[in-house]
């Protein structure tokens, strides 16, 4: 060892924290991003996930194999367990029905949903999310993760952003995915939680808080973008539109905390549309490939 190596402090190797945003079916693009990172020999030092990003991030942290992750997710989407969850479509659900019987059935389903909405604060049971998380994560916990894992949720009704990093993994995932109005708040350790996307749909700021000085933040934005062809048809649709607009500008603020921003072209996919996983995965791949030169340069700098 030369004298200067002995006395000169060693340079800390660069790494990165990966922030996976919320977006329902649009989050399938995360799978493509993880695949590209893996192909380039890159593994995050930590993962921060919100909503669907919490689910896929947890699955990957437990078993960092992008191909296996894709296989398990697609298999689940084709399973009876996923089919049992009827995601609410309160805005024009019967528009494409052509027979009087199908229209009548759709109207009846809508009436039930509106009755639930009027008498309660949710139309679906959050325990389904807990069961789903347990199935996909094989009843494992934070301590089983091979990559440091942090999941966001929002306390109800106080509205504070909370980060889970230990304890009940399935419960933490469900809390992060519990979309207000669709799922009832999840009670965990005496506190109630809802979807982390309310406060941190793109958890880049949280990733920056967790990152060490030598680590970069890589964020994947799969948020919705309102379309001029997607005009609300009723009050529920109008409320949903306003939420998407607020989310759009909140994500713009969170982007300031990123070093590398990956934005798959999924913004016009509906949050409850999981019908084209291969398409969304490929969009994630393409967006990640575009940012690989920048990320590699930073890590090698």
């Amino acid at each position: 060892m030369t004298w200067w190596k002995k006395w000169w402090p060693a340079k800390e190797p660069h790494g990165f924290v990966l922030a996976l945003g919320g977006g329902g079916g649009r989050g399938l693009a995360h799978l493509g991003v993880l695949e590209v990172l893996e192909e380039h020999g890159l593994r995050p030092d930590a993962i921060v996930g919100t909503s669907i990003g919490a689910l896929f991030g947890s699955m990957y942290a437990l078993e960092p194999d992008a191909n296996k992750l894709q296989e398990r997710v697609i298999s689940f989407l084709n399973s009876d367990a996923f089919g049992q969850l009827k995601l609410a479509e309160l805005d024009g659900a019967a528009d494409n029905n052509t027979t009087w019987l199908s229209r009548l059935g759709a109207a009846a389903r809508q009436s039930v949903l509106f009755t639930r909405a009027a008498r309660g604060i949710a139309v679906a049971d959050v325990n389904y999310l807990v069961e789903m998380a347990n199935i996909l994560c094989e009843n494992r916990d934070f301590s089983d993760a091979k990559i440091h894992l942090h999941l966001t949720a929002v306390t109800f009704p106080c509205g504070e952003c909370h980060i889970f990093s230990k304890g009940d993994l399935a419960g933490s995932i469900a809390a992060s995915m519990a979309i207000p109005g669709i799922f009832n708040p999840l009670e965990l350790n005496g506190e109630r939680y809802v979807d982390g996307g309310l406060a941190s749909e793109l958890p880049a700021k949280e990733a920056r808080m967790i990152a060490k000085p030598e680590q970069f933040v890589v964020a994947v934005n799969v948020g919705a973008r309102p379309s001029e062809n997607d005009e609300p048809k009723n009050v529920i649709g109008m409320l949903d539109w306003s939420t998407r607009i607020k989310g759009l500008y909140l994500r713009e603020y969170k982007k300031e905390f990123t070093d590398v921003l990956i934005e798959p072209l999924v913004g016009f996919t509906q949050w409850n549309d999981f019908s084209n996983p291969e398409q969304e995965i490929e969009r994630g791949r393409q967006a990640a490939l575009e940012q690989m030169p920048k990320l590699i340069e930073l890590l090698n700098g």
Side-chain angles (χ1 to χ4, degrees), residues 14-296:
H14 290 303
F16 67 99
V17 177
L18 181 63
L20 300 178
R26 296 185 297 274
L28 289 164
H30 290 320
L31 307 184
V33 172
L34 290 167
E35 184 178 44
V36 169
L37 290 172
E38 211 169 83
E39 289 172 355
H40 287 76
L42 302 176
R43 177 187 288 193
D45 299 312
I47 295 174
V48 183
T50 290
S51 202
I52 196 71
L55 175 61
F56 293 157
S58 296
M59 293 175 68
Y60 189 76
L62 290 167
E63 186 174 5
D65 186 316
N67 290 327
K68 287 184 179 179
L69 175 58
Q70 288 186 29
E71 290 173 4
R72 293 189 63 210
V73 169
I74 292 175
S75 176
F76 180 76
L77 293 178
N78 292 324
S79 70
D80 292 338
F82 181 74
Q84 290 173 3
L85 177 63
K86 304 300 182 183
L87 298 175
E89 294 185 21
L90 297 177
D91 190 5
D95 288 353
N96 295 323
N97 291 319
T98 55
T99 68
W100 69 270
L101 185 59
S102 60
R103 287 178 180 273
L104 182 61
R109 289 193 296 274
Q110 295 296 76
S111 296
V112 171
L113 288 173
F114 277 115
T115 299
R116 288 181 184 174
R119 296 181 177 179
I121 60 172
V123 296
D125 187 353
V126 74
N127 286 319
Y128 174 87
L129 296 178
V130 178
E131 294 172 9
M132 178 187 68
N134 268 321
I135 291 171
L136 290 173
C137 293
E138 299 176 322
N139 296 300
R140 288 183 282 180
D141 222 324
F142 279 97
S143 59
D144 298 312
K146 297 179 176 65
I147 299 173
H148 294 298
L149 183 61
H150 309 270
L151 311 178
T152 71
V154 171
T155 59
F156 178 82
C158 297
E160 296 178 355
C161 186
H162 181 84
I163 299 177
F164 293 103
S165 56
K166 61 182 180 180
D168 183 351
L169 178 58
S172 301
I173 294 170
S176 187
M177 297 180 70
I179 303 171
I182 303 298
F183 298 101
N184 51 296
L186 179 79
E187 185 167 338
L188 200 60
N189 301 323
E191 193 78 65
R192 289 179 294 168
Y193 299 95
V194 295
D195 190 353
L198 286 181
S200 190
E201 189 175 344
L202 182 66
K205 181 180 179 181
E206 290 71 20
R208 179 63 68 194
M209 291 166 55
I210 291 164
K212 297 176 181 178
E214 69 276 6
Q215 292 174 327
F216 298 106
V217 171
V218 179
V220 186
N221 175 25
V222 292
R225 294 192 64 86
S227 166
E228 62 181 19
N229 299 320
D230 188 22
E231 187 171 327
K233 300 179 179 64
N234 53 38
V235 172
I236 299 295
M238 198 66 180
L239 292 173
D240 179 60
W241 174 85
S242 65
T243 299
R244 279 183 283 161
I245 293 296
K246 286 191 290 185
L248 177 65
Y249 285 95
L250 179 59
R251 292 193 305 274
E252 289 297 320
Y253 160 70
K254 292 300 182 84
K255 289 177 185 179
E256 297 177 4
F257 297 92
T258 68
D259 296 295
V260 177
L261 179 64
I262 299 174
E263 295 190 284
L265 298 176
V266 296
F268 297 123
T269 299
Q270 293 299 310
W271 72 270
N272 55 359
D273 183 2
F274 291 83
S275 62
N276 295 296
E278 291 83 3
Q279 173 183 282
E280 307 305 333
I281 291 170
E282 181 58 27
R283 288 172 171 172
R285 278 188 56 83
Q286 294 304 315
L289 285 169
E290 290 177 5
Q291 296 300 321
M292 280 305 101
K294 179 179 180 180
L295 176 57
I296 291 171

